[in-house]
Amino acid sequence: MAGLSATDLQAAAAAPLFAALKPEELGHLLDQAVAVSHPENSLLFSQGDDADHFFVVLEGRVNIFALTETGDQSIIEVFEGISTFAEAAMFSSGKYPLNCEVVAGSRLVHIPAAPFLKRLADNPRLGFHLLSGLSRWQMHMIHEITELKSKSPGQRLASFLLALARDAQDGVQVRLPITKAALASRIGIAPESLSRALARLKAAGVESHGREVVLTDLAALRRLVRDGDPS
């Protein structure tokens, strides 16, 4: 486990991809991995680069994005701890299909593809364990999607905001990690429905100022998620 401390390895083990691996198996697979701190916003990789690494988010966030014709970022997905990303590119085309920006203050595990794939080739049983972990995660996601479809737009948005706030107190200000258009897509509603949902959440203590959102009554938000709202 050359580059990873026991603490970092234990944290990485919580990623769904690795859920079915024993600690010693994961240590063997990640023996060439290193944990890297990213103090500033930075570009991790660009579209078309060789997919010679994949990653685990230990802390912070990364944004996967495409570039529009005008050069603006269009965020496709956001990954936070603890999750893996870019493994699909490593297993498939060998090229990153999109760009990735690391948000300042993040810590990632960088896993080189070549030794990781060699460990799997030498011990195919580990590959089955990875598939088992992904299968469990897929079932979890199916459950999440089912739950999502049963909730109103206001409940979906409230759940997202509560996840951003985590264990904060009333009055916390959170910044939406993606554009409102991307957020609407992520929680499965139309952009105009997102605006209406934000307006209705004012009754639950939500104050929106662009991408900055102040949550003044977290208990009211939790009740809304639990008991529902009319829209």
Side-chain angles (χ1 to χ4, degrees), residues 66 175 177:
R175 178 171 174 80

Side-chain angles (χ1 to χ4, degrees), residues 9 28 42 70 86 97 107 112 116 126 130-131 140 143 153-154 159 187 191 194-195 201 218 227 231:
L9 186 63
H28 179 60
S42 58
T70 59
R107 288 185 72 244
F116 184 88
L126 296 180
L130 291 180
L131 287 174
H140 169 76
H143 174 74
S159 293
I187 63 177
L194 178 65
S195 297
L201 288 187
L218 295 173
D227 301 332
S231 53

Side-chain angles (χ1 to χ4, degrees), residues 29 51 54 87 90-91 112-123:
L29 280 175
F54 76 103
E87 64 269 37
M90 176 190 70
F91 283 124
F116 184 88
L117 292 173
K118 185 178 187 304
R119 302 291 184 272
L120 291 181
D122 292 342
N123 189 349

